[in-house]
Amino acid sequence: MERNPTNFIEQIINEDLAGAFNKKSLRFRFPPEPNGYLHIGHAKAIGINFGLGEKYEAPVNLRFDDTNPSKEEQEYVDAIIDDVAWLNYKWDKITYSSDHFEKLYFWAEHLINTGKAYVDSQTSDQIAEQKGTPTRTGSKSPCRERSVGENMKIFREMREGKHSEGAHVLRAKIDMADPNMLLRDPVMYRIMYKTHHRTGDKWCIYPMYDWAHGQSDYCEQVSHSLCSLEFQPHRKLYDWFVASLKSMKESGLECVPKQREFARLNLSYTIMSKRKLVSLVEKGCVSGWDDPRMPTISGLRRRGYTPAAIRAFIDKIGVAKRENLIDVSLLEFCVRDELNKTSNRKMVVINPLKLTITNYPEDQEELVTTENNPEQENAGHREIPFSKHLYIEKEDFLEAAGKKFFRLTIGKEVRLKSAYIIRGERAIKNKEGDIVEVQCTYDLKSKSGSGTEESLRKVKGTLHWVSKNHATPVEIREYDRLFMTPAPGAEDDFIKDLNPNSLKTKKGFAEPSLANPKINERFQFQRKGYFVVDKDSTKDAVVFNKTVALRDTWKKQR
């Protein structure tokens, strides 16, 4: 199997394989914390780790970093599993940091016994002050020289629930003068009386991320621990912990994990801070985690994005060492490109205006034939009812228009898609002066596909339409970007950057084939964009979400 490196991570792996590293020891992992829903930034990490698994034919663990029961819930675990599966990635096994709690505790006692860890009884504020700053070295804790026996006694009492929250923490004894502040005796355990979603109330001390993360990699024999750039300062601590346990005969582990970092995904007009996403949900700015305006996988999924489109986007942005801002238009391009190939075309009028063909018989109805998807060779055709009374889009008619307006106007011709050429004759207005109906005439011999000379006659405009007597009422939710600025919340006040027009709800009419579509079924509404059937739909009320426009409409706005 060809394994030519396409990025620096693959180059590292190839170099390891060219050395003493055993190919059978390759194992990767994706380790989300179950304290929220996955977003498009996580999709990059998922794609990198599972993509490497596919390329090197190596197993990948889906591991939950469940070390903070105050924020983690089974709901998030279930949603993450569902999202990764929906993206069509296959894991070798699902694991949890909590699987290793007993071993982590045992190894923590080993560090106490070897003088590499101690119990600190200072307050959190005292510890923070005592750690110093990037320009000022820290000072040693007055608890740092406690005896092994005293440290062990208090640590075991912490586990037994004999001390209150905040009374003690377990810290690694490293170097209070290290330039990397993460190595200034980092906290390994804290006391928390919270019910864990898996272990219940069995534990009242919980490991910190830096202690649990690397050691869970070690327990699972992950070969390459890949994370985003913000964890680069953590690498030295990661290596220190692993090296401290490598010397233990009791560990019985051979493969030493290697942490490497890649640039995380920053997407324009999008926020991916989990804290800010939680705030959007809690403040009611969106309807929930799966609101189609959210950058969550579940939100993109509900909006009509496909796994193939998201995976194509991840492939296009690649793996880099430096962070940059990716234009969201690239993501929209990927879904537009995918849906153009796979979505059947439908005629739906979103802003209806009645159109009457005055010379068409009142009691006549007929079927016209149109393509389902010209991009697919075997997509076939469908028949749509045509009659005297139709709906067209309001913006497709102007009573008086200039030469560059190629839609319907008085005295000019356009073609109705897959049907006839019509000529605008008269605009009917209500007492307020609003146009409520357009009257036109049609050319009987101009029917598309009829083979007549008139049917081949060219006119500049083609309009989509729906037969009034056969129309299916539908609700259209037109979603746009949630934020108005490319870098929302630059000053942490992201709410002010919300787009007030990110959702517009309209009532439209669809061709009868859309009377009972399946939830999550995707279509191209001709001349309008790509839409998906929302989960709110019922047998009597069909709801469509706009996925993306046919073209990038934001280019003009910018």
Side-chain angles (χ1 to χ4, degrees):
M1 179 180 179
E2 183 181 356
R3 297 194 185 90
N4 293 330
T6 59
N7 57 63
F8 75 97
I9 291 178
E10 291 180 8
Q11 184 175 350
I12 290 170
I13 294 171
N14 285 357
E15 290 171 354
D16 290 339
L17 292 174
F21 198 87
N22 187 342
K23 177 188 177 297
K24 293 182 179 179
S25 297
L26 276 181
R27 180 177 288 272
F28 306 99
R29 90 288 172 270
F30 171 61
E33 182 181 0
N35 63 350
Y37 283 66
L38 297 182
H39 53 61
I40 187 64
H42 292 113
K44 178 178 180 178
I46 293 170
I48 290 174
N49 284 285
F50 283 93
L52 289 170
E54 292 174 356
K55 179 166 186 174
Y56 290 92
E57 299 175 324
V60 184
N61 289 355
L62 172 56
R63 184 178 76 235
F64 292 94
D65 174 31
D66 55 343
T67 60
N68 186 357
S70 65
K71 295 183 178 180
E72 298 156 3
E73 299 178 19
Q74 186 63 39
E75 173 193 351
Y76 300 138
V77 172
D78 296 339
I80 290 169
I81 291 173
D82 188 48
D83 285 345
V84 176
W86 179 73
L87 287 169
N88 293 322
Y89 289 111
K90 307 295 182 183
W91 53 79
D92 179 53
K93 52 189 174 183
I94 294 177
T95 63
Y96 300 81
S97 293
S98 55
D99 292 338
H100 313 300
F101 277 180
E102 200 67 55
K103 186 167 285 187
L104 290 172
Y105 177 83
F106 173 72
W107 285 345
E109 285 198 347
H110 169 75
L111 293 187
I112 292 174
N113 278 322
T114 55
K116 294 182 178 179
Y118 65 96
V119 173
D120 197 336
S121 303
Q122 296 182 102
T123 66
S124 58
D125 289 341
Q126 289 172 326
I127 290 175
E129 173 62 27
Q130 171 255 326
K131 286 188 74 168
T133 68
T135 58
R136 174 174 59 83
T137 59
S139 56
K140 294 180 180 180
S141 166
C143 304
R144 202 172 196 264
E145 301 307 321
R146 269 180 168 152
S147 68
V148 168
E150 186 179 3
N151 283 320
M152 192 68 74
K153 175 180 179 295
I154 300 174
F155 188 51
R156 289 175 176 173
E157 289 175 349
M158 288 166 61
R159 176 176 180 170
E160 293 167 3
K162 294 182 178 180
H163 297 284
S164 60
E165 287 190 11
H168 309 284
V169 294
L170 183 71
R171 297 176 68 180
K173 187 185 292 187
I174 307 179
D175 184 359
M176 293 303 295
D178 197 292
N180 185 337
M181 290 189 63
L182 293 172
L183 273 79
R184 296 182 186 179
D185 292 10
V187 174
M188 296 171 59
Y189 276 92
R190 76 283 206 200
I191 302 171
M192 291 182 69
Y193 291 102
K194 300 289 189 299
T195 300
H196 191 276
H197 70 97
R198 290 187 74 233
T199 62
D201 296 321
K202 180 180 178 180
W203 293 87
C204 59
I205 58 170
Y206 289 93
M208 300 295 289
Y209 170 84
D210 282 314
W211 170 239
H213 179 66
Q215 291 17 272
S216 295
D217 287 342
Y218 196 23
C219 289
E220 296 171 19
Q221 288 291 268
V222 169
S223 60
H224 295 79
S225 179
L226 308 174
C227 51
S228 49
L229 277 178
E230 65 263 34
F231 291 100
Q232 189 168 24
H234 296 249
R235 191 202 295 183
K236 190 174 179 181
L237 179 56
Y238 182 101
D239 293 342
W240 186 92
F241 277 136
V242 171
S244 296
L245 297 179
K246 185 69 167 61
S247 62
M248 282 184 67
K249 294 181 180 180
E250 295 90 341
S251 72
L253 302 177
E254 297 298 330
C255 178
V256 176
K258 175 182 288 189
Q259 177 178 307
R260 291 296 181 267
E261 305 83 19
F262 56 85
R264 66 180 178 181
L265 173 62
N266 295 308
L267 200 61
S268 65
Y269 299 96
T270 308
I271 60 170
M272 283 181 281
S273 160
K274 202 173 286 186
R275 174 180 60 84
K276 292 179 179 179
L277 293 177
V278 168
S279 180
L280 287 176
V281 174
E282 291 180 344
K283 291 180 178 180
C285 300
V286 292
S287 61
W289 285 99
D290 68 343
D291 187 298
R293 293 166 292 180
M294 289 281 275
T296 54
I297 302 299
S298 56
L300 293 170
R301 182 178 180 177
R302 187 175 175 188
R303 187 160 175 169
Y305 276 70
T306 66
I310 293 175
R311 292 180 64 154
F313 171 69
I314 298 305
D315 287 343
K316 286 183 181 297
I317 62 176
V319 182
K321 292 183 179 181
R322 295 182 180 178
E323 291 188 353
N324 59 344
L325 186 66
I326 303 296
D327 196 321
V328 72
S329 295
L330 178 59
L331 175 61
E332 293 168 345
F333 165 82
C334 290
V335 71
R336 189 181 292 117
D337 184 61
E338 168 71 13
L339 294 178
N340 180 53
K341 300 171 187 174
T342 60
S343 299
N344 282 344
R345 278 49 172 167
K346 299 291 181 180
M347 289 206 275
V348 179
V349 175
I350 297 177
N351 296 296
L353 173 64
K354 184 180 177 182
L355 178 76
T356 298
I357 306 173
T358 57
N359 61 334
Y360 193 93
E362 184 72 43
D363 57 352
Q364 180 174 314
E365 293 179 357
E366 62 181 297
L367 296 174
V368 300
T369 302
T370 188
E371 290 179 297
N372 284 326
N373 187 345
E375 298 294 323
Q376 291 185 358
E377 185 176 349
N378 300 317
H381 295 74
R382 69 189 187 283
E383 292 183 324
I384 303 175
F386 185 87
S387 63
K388 182 183 183 73
H389 302 287
L390 310 172
Y391 288 119
I392 63 171
E393 298 285 352
K394 284 183 179 179
E395 58 265 32
D396 282 344
F397 175 77
L398 284 179
E399 190 172 12
K403 293 182 179 180
K404 293 185 178 181
F405 186 77
F406 300 122
R407 287 168 278 180
L408 185 62
T409 188
I410 302 299
K412 291 188 178 181
E413 292 183 320
V414 295
R415 177 174 289 281
L416 295 176
K417 171 72 177 173
S418 301
Y420 298 95
I421 293 175
I422 60 171
R423 176 188 176 92
E425 302 291 350
R426 181 186 175 200
I428 309 298
K429 302 177 182 179
N430 60 20
K431 60 183 180 180
E432 286 78 25
D434 300 321
I435 298 174
V436 294
E437 182 182 347
V438 175
Q439 294 182 346
C440 66
T441 55
Y442 85 117
D443 182 345
L444 174 62
K445 297 180 179 180
S446 66
K447 185 177 181 180
S448 295
S450 63
T452 66
E453 184 176 341
E454 282 296 294
S455 71
L456 300 175
R457 184 158 59 89
K458 302 294 184 183
V459 291
K460 288 188 176 181
T462 299
L463 308 184
H464 67 282
W465 53 272
V466 174
S467 171
K468 181 177 181 293
N469 293 337
H470 305 87
T472 295
V474 293
E475 179 180 315
I476 307 292
R477 296 174 181 173
E478 292 189 339
Y479 292 99
D480 213 328
R481 297 176 185 176
L482 186 56
F483 293 96
M484 297 181 293
T485 57
E491 298 177 1
D492 211 41
D493 185 13
F494 63 98
I495 298 297
K496 66 178 175 59
D497 294 328
L498 284 169
N499 178 6
N501 299 311
S502 62
L503 170 59
K504 296 178 181 178
T505 301
K506 300 177 180 179
K507 300 293 184 181
F509 293 103
E511 63 176 77
S513 66
L514 289 179
N516 191 27
K518 297 177 182 178
I519 303 299
N520 296 326
E521 199 170 1
R522 304 174 183 89
F523 303 98
Q524 183 198 99
F525 291 178
Q526 292 188 307
R527 301 177 62 233
K528 304 305 291 185
Y530 297 95
F531 293 77
V532 64
V533 183
D534 188 71
K535 67 179 184 179
D536 289 344
S537 294
T538 65
K539 184 178 180 180
D540 300 321
V542 181
V543 179
F544 288 98
N545 295 331
K546 184 177 182 179
T547 304
V548 68
L550 290 177
R551 297 174 183 83
D552 183 2
T553 57
W554 276 71
K555 285 183 178 179
K556 293 181 179 180
Q557 296 182 38
R558 293 197 295 268

